[in-house]
Amino acid sequence: MTEPADGADAAGSDGIDSTSFETALAAREQAALEARHRQAADDGDPEAASRLGTLLLRRGDLEDAEPYLRSAAAAGLRAAANNLGVLLHQQGHRAEAAQWWRQAAVAGSAPAAHALGLQLRDQGEEEAAEYWLHFAADHGHPLGAYALGDLMEHRRDVRAERWFKVSADAGHREAAYRLARMREAAGDKETAETWYRTAAARSHARAALRLGVLLEERARTDESLLDEAARWYRQSAQNGEPRAACALGFLLRDAGDLATAAEWWQEAAEAGDGNAANALGALHASRGEDAEAERWYRSALDAGDQNGAFNLGLLCAGAGRDQQAEQWYRRAAYAGHREACNALAVVLLQRGDESGAEPWFSKAAEAGSVDGAFNLGVLHAGRGEHRQAQEWYARAAAEGHGEAALQLAVVQEQRGNLTGALDRYRQAAAGGSAEGAFRLASVLDRRGDADEEAEHWYAVAADAGHRRAQVRMGVRAAERGALEIAESWYRRAAEAGSRSAAFNLGLLLARQDSEPEAMLWYTRAADAGHGRAALRLALLALRRGEPVQAENWCRRAADYGPAEVAERAGRLLGALHAELSA
């Protein structure tokens, strides 16, 4: 309420600020000017009294300024009336200040109308406040336009945007920021970015932060914008916005500069940003520095970020401190942290407390936890409640949960709905389910009209470590004559424990005259229960003249199956007995 009225008002942009004088000469000139005004005011000149009162008011000499301003205001000078209102307001005489502001406003003073409007607003007289703020805005007062926009936005009046724009066009940076927020909320990010730029160029810290966020979003399709986003984050952080320091840290981390990222996170965390504290905690946890990680997670929690409690739970669980983990999960869950609800439910379920786990799974799922929805589906499926399970799987799948989509696809395939199954398998594969990718490839393979797509999904699953997919990639490569590629896939799967891959690798090596190594892979496959590998070893033992060894492998082949292998092993075993009896 202390901004200027007309050319001679106390807060006028054309007034001289005594604190800015840098030379004794300027000080002497000011003293001389004051003396001339005082002489003229004491001789009865109201204009001089107004100027002197304004000068004294700016200097903080309220007692000396008051009589001169009262004299000039009584003479009808509106600038003096406005500045007298400023003085009285500073002294705590709000009612009398309002009287003088009203007198000045009626006389046409926009600053007085603005000050009066603010006081009426603070008193709850919004209708009268709107009138005077409108008056100030209509008379070109930027602060009046901003205050009018603020009042209207509070009432959800769409006209707020207009007045924010009037104020922003006049150079008011907070108005530009508020206008940008309104345009962003309306989905008009292009206009929002323009106004954020306007406010940020005037050193508005939150505007620079939001501008950085919008640029980082656009950088998904144009990476060249990342440097500009970083510049605005840095400006915002240097102007005291810890969230910008945190965002800059993440940007630097993604660019590979983890050391500098940590410096910005620490700056933000020490300023009370819980997200940055969690980021520092995660960084230390990734290095195995659990004590430091715990310190920063606790700092995040102290800042009111419940992710801190959840992360403390994860840290304790990873260290085998299960009881403490449960306590932290529970604390975060009761605070509404959805993933903590899911984690707590998993702990309870693993302990056999299904009745205790279910409500937490439900709370997690209802709050939007995709894992919570999937786990609730698993819980219902385990009880044979298939309709409820499908509903929760569908909810999780709609949010991109690959394993949930896989469960839905399996049901569709079992019902003979291959079109529906393919759609769900594709969704599962896109959601990162290796089993979904493998099953999708298998269905396409059986259908026989999409060999290239089938190959693609086999490869996706195989690269994700799916052993059966790796075997299929090996088989397909062998069929094309690409034996080195086939051997590579077989080895990956066999070394991961696939008995089929071990057997196929043995066959491939045998054909390449590497029978000693082939024997090793046959044996590994047979020891894992592969009937054909056991039968192959029996035949090789017979060829080497080792009937007892052959009999042992025959018996194992008969036990392992499948049926045709068991039948061949039985015939071979019979022949062996006949030969041994003879």
Side-chain angles (χ1 to χ4, degrees), residues 372-388:
F374 174 70
N375 288 335
L376 202 51
V378 172
L379 201 65
H380 283 294
R383 296 174 183 163
E385 298 165 355
H386 299 300
R387 181 182 61 79
Q388 295 94 321

Side-chain angles (χ1 to χ4, degrees), residues 236-291:
S236 180
Q238 290 168 343
N239 284 330
E241 177 52 72
R243 290 174 298 173
C246 180
L248 179 57
F250 282 111
L251 208 60
L252 291 166
R253 179 204 64 182
D254 293 343
D257 188 356
L258 200 54
T260 310
E263 292 174 6
W264 284 107
W265 282 334
Q266 183 159 342
E267 181 175 320
E270 289 173 349
D273 189 280
N275 194 25
N278 274 313
L280 277 174
L283 177 61
H284 286 291
S286 70
R287 296 170 175 169
E289 300 164 355
D290 286 4

Side-chain angles (χ1 to χ4, degrees), residues 398-482:
E399 296 299 321
H401 196 289
E403 297 305 318
L406 173 63
Q407 297 302 317
L408 296 169
V410 169
V411 170
Q412 292 297 320
E413 187 175 5
Q414 288 171 345
R415 292 174 179 171
N417 181 6
L418 285 185
T419 300
L422 281 169
D423 288 342
R424 287 297 188 182
Y425 280 138
R426 284 195 174 90
Q427 188 179 8
S433 170
E435 180 67 17
F438 173 72
R439 287 178 177 252
L440 172 58
S442 298
V443 173
L444 293 168
D445 208 357
R446 291 196 304 271
R447 206 172 65 176
D449 60 353
D451 188 68
E452 187 174 337
E453 188 183 359
E455 177 94 8
H456 166 74
W457 290 114
Y458 277 136
V460 168
D463 285 334
H466 193 285
R467 289 182 294 182
R468 285 190 294 164
Q470 291 168 344
V471 173
R472 288 303 308 161
M473 289 296 289
V475 169
R476 292 167 76 89
E479 288 172 349
R480 294 195 303 268

Side-chain angles (χ1 to χ4, degrees), residues 73-99:
L77 294 184
R78 69 183 190 186
N82 175 60
N83 290 334
L84 180 57
V86 171
L87 184 148
L88 291 166
H89 187 270
Q90 290 180 8
Q91 292 177 329
H93 306 308
R94 294 171 62 86
E96 188 182 358
Q99 292 172 7

Side-chain angles (χ1 to χ4, degrees), residues 102-159:
R102 189 180 298 274
Q103 177 177 314
V106 168
S109 170
H114 170 241
L116 179 59
L118 291 181
Q119 180 155 311
L120 290 167
R121 182 201 65 185
D122 293 345
Q123 293 169 184
E125 300 177 41
E126 291 192 0
E127 187 174 343
E130 182 178 341
Y131 173 83
W132 288 112
L133 292 175
H134 215 298
F135 179 95
D138 282 341
H139 284 76
H141 197 282
L143 294 176
Y146 172 76
L148 180 59
D150 183 56
L151 182 66
M152 289 181 169
E153 187 182 38
H154 173 69
R155 296 174 175 177
R156 302 184 185 280
D157 189 325
V158 294
R159 294 176 297 168

Side-chain angles (χ1 to χ4, degrees), residues 499 523-534 556-557 559-562:
R499 63 189 187 186
T523 303
R524 184 180 292 193
D527 286 342
H530 195 285
R532 288 188 174 85
R556 290 174 67 174
D559 290 339
Y560 297 154

Side-chain angles (χ1 to χ4, degrees), residues 261-522:
E263 292 174 6
W264 284 107
W265 282 334
Q266 183 159 342
E267 181 175 320
E270 289 173 349
D273 189 280
N275 194 25
N278 274 313
L280 277 174
L283 177 61
H284 286 291
S286 70
R287 296 170 175 169
E289 300 164 355
D290 286 4
E292 275 296 290
E294 183 169 340
R295 181 171 80 85
W296 285 112
Y297 288 149
R298 287 182 181 274
S299 177
L301 190 56
D302 291 341
D305 191 329
Q306 292 303 321
N307 275 314
F310 175 61
N311 287 332
L312 282 165
L314 293 175
L315 191 69
C316 290
R321 292 147 54 192
D322 295 338
Q323 186 174 356
Q324 288 176 284
E326 182 179 338
Q327 290 171 352
W328 287 116
Y329 288 150
R330 195 175 292 275
R331 175 169 176 174
Y334 274 113
H337 193 290
R338 66 189 188 187
E339 298 309 328
C341 293
N342 180 64
L344 176 59
V346 170
V347 169
L348 294 171
L349 190 62
Q350 289 173 341
R351 202 162 65 209
D353 184 4
E354 185 176 311
S355 62
E358 183 174 359
W360 287 113
F361 277 138
S362 295
K363 189 172 182 179
E366 294 294 354
S369 168
V370 180
D371 288 335
F374 174 70
N375 288 335
L376 202 51
V378 172
L379 201 65
H380 283 294
R383 296 174 183 163
E385 298 165 355
H386 299 300
R387 181 182 61 79
Q388 295 94 321
Q390 293 290 296
E391 289 174 359
W392 286 110
Y393 286 148
R395 185 180 297 196
E399 296 299 321
H401 196 289
E403 297 305 318
L406 173 63
Q407 297 302 317
L408 296 169
V410 169
V411 170
Q412 292 297 320
E413 187 175 5
Q414 288 171 345
R415 292 174 179 171
N417 181 6
L418 285 185
T419 300
L422 281 169
D423 288 342
R424 287 297 188 182
Y425 280 138
R426 284 195 174 90
Q427 188 179 8
S433 170
E435 180 67 17
F438 173 72
R439 287 178 177 252
L440 172 58
S442 298
V443 173
L444 293 168
D445 208 357
R446 291 196 304 271
R447 206 172 65 176
D449 60 353
D451 188 68
E452 187 174 337
E453 188 183 359
E455 177 94 8
H456 166 74
W457 290 114
Y458 277 136
V460 168
D463 285 334
H466 193 285
R467 289 182 294 182
R468 285 190 294 164
Q470 291 168 344
V471 173
R472 288 303 308 161
M473 289 296 289
V475 169
R476 292 167 76 89
E479 288 172 349
R480 294 195 303 268
L483 299 185
E484 287 186 9
I485 295 174
E487 181 180 340
S488 173
W489 283 117
Y490 288 150
R491 281 190 185 278
R492 282 182 63 179
E495 287 167 356
S498 168
R499 63 189 187 186
S500 295
F503 176 66
N504 288 354
L505 180 56
L507 291 175
L508 193 64
L509 291 166
R511 290 172 193 156
Q512 295 173 340
D513 297 325
S514 300
E515 191 163 291
E517 188 182 357
M519 288 283 292
L520 294 175
W521 289 109
Y522 289 148

